[in-house]
Amino acid sequence: MAESKARTTVARPAVKPRKPESRLAMVRRARKINRELAELYPYAHPELDFESPFELLVATVLSAQTTDLRVNQTTPALFAKYPTPEDMAAAVPEELEEIIRPTGFFRAKARSLLGLSAALRDDFGGEVPGRLEDLVTLPGVGRKTANVVLGNAFGVPGITVDTHFGRLARRFGWTAEEDPVKVEAVVAEIFPKSEWTMLSHRVVFHGRRVCHSRKPACGACPIAPLCPSYGEGETDPEKARKLLKYELGGQPGQRLRPPADYPGQPAAAAGGGQEEVA
């Protein structure tokens, strides 16, 4: 009855208690999940629009507590007015706040942007550093933001533990940790370093499109046979398909300027009418 290789529907029997899993079995299953996600999302990519390390750094700071879509709709005006760290460091705080207001928490984010821009200007010659230990010294920049920048602007492998990644790492049975730094450390021991950046993209893609926080689409999940949390969400294939988001559900993704191989449609600019989905 089960069709484990199907990419659109997954029918499974009632959930049964699983036997205890050895460390080796868990690692093998985890790596198989990664391979399956690579087949499902061969076009996985960072969902923030950027053209330089500075733009990615700023966009990632702005992405806290909002969607990448909202950030992508905000940054064109932001970078048009403040294209360099020197420009942003000299910004009038109230004017900067007004531009980034749509991303939420705009006063705190403005302080971070002013602080990190000044630090880049004064301490790093106006350039974004390519080392984690330097990046985390910047105001508003933690390990998650640093790993995003390192992996996608500098090609340095890193695991980005956002809310989606942490949720799926626990659902997949890779870790029970809640702290992002601990999740990162545990997952880093499961996968080779060369996979860290793309693993992050694939897991986040799956969390946004299928394995949602409140109602995962278990019945439409291609990796359901590998998931110990199968059954937490909708298991009926037809109902589950209706829960799919972004290109899997026939909707635009997060980026206004997605990569050429992205199979969906570009997102709408601010005021374009696209429904925003986290």
Side-chain angles (χ1 to χ4, degrees), residues 24 56 67 88 112 156 166 200 241 248 271:
L24 178 59
L56 179 57
T67 64
M88 193 168 288
S112 293
V156 178
S200 300
R241 271 201 302 272
L248 298 184

Side-chain angles (χ1 to χ4, degrees), residues 26-205:
M26 183 275 289
V27 170
R28 286 175 173 170
R29 181 175 57 81
R31 293 184 178 187
K32 188 172 182 180
I33 287 174
N34 184 37
R35 292 193 296 271
E36 292 283 320
L37 292 178
E39 291 185 19
L40 183 61
Y41 307 111
Y43 49 85
H45 59 271
E47 294 195 87
L48 290 167
D49 287 328
F50 70 98
E51 294 183 357
S52 68
F54 176 63
E55 289 190 1
L56 179 57
L57 176 62
V58 169
T60 306
V61 170
L62 291 177
S63 70
Q65 304 297 313
T66 190
T67 64
D68 286 355
L69 171 60
R70 181 63 71 194
V71 174
N72 292 337
Q73 292 172 329
T74 302
T75 51
L78 177 67
F79 295 133
K81 190 172 180 65
Y82 311 113
T84 69
E86 292 82 0
D87 294 321
M88 193 168 288
V92 176
E94 292 76 15
E95 294 179 1
L96 177 60
E97 289 173 1
E98 190 58 32
I99 294 175
I100 67 172
R101 179 186 291 268
T103 68
F105 302 96
F106 58 92
R107 291 191 179 89
K109 290 179 181 179
R111 286 194 296 272
S112 293
L113 295 186
L114 289 168
L116 72 84
S117 296
L120 293 177
R121 178 196 62 196
D122 298 340
D123 302 330
F124 297 99
E127 300 292 335
V128 175
R131 300 194 311 162
L132 186 143
E133 53 265 41
D134 292 329
L135 284 167
V136 296
T137 67
L138 301 173
V141 178
R143 288 187 66 90
K144 184 195 84 169
T145 296
N147 279 328
V148 169
V149 174
L150 289 173
N152 299 289
F154 293 101
V156 178
I159 296 172
T160 303
V161 183
D162 67 357
T163 56
H164 300 287
F165 191 99
R167 179 177 73 251
L168 269 63
R170 289 183 286 274
R171 282 181 177 168
F172 290 159
W174 298 350
T175 180
E177 298 288 354
E178 295 282 344
D179 179 76
V181 175
K182 292 180 179 179
V183 172
E184 179 187 342
V186 170
V187 174
E189 293 295 322
I190 299 174
F191 298 93
K193 192 172 184 178
S194 59
E195 286 291 308
W196 289 355
T197 298
M198 287 309 301
L199 171 74
S200 300
H201 291 324
R202 294 164 190 154
V203 172
V204 171
F205 256 56

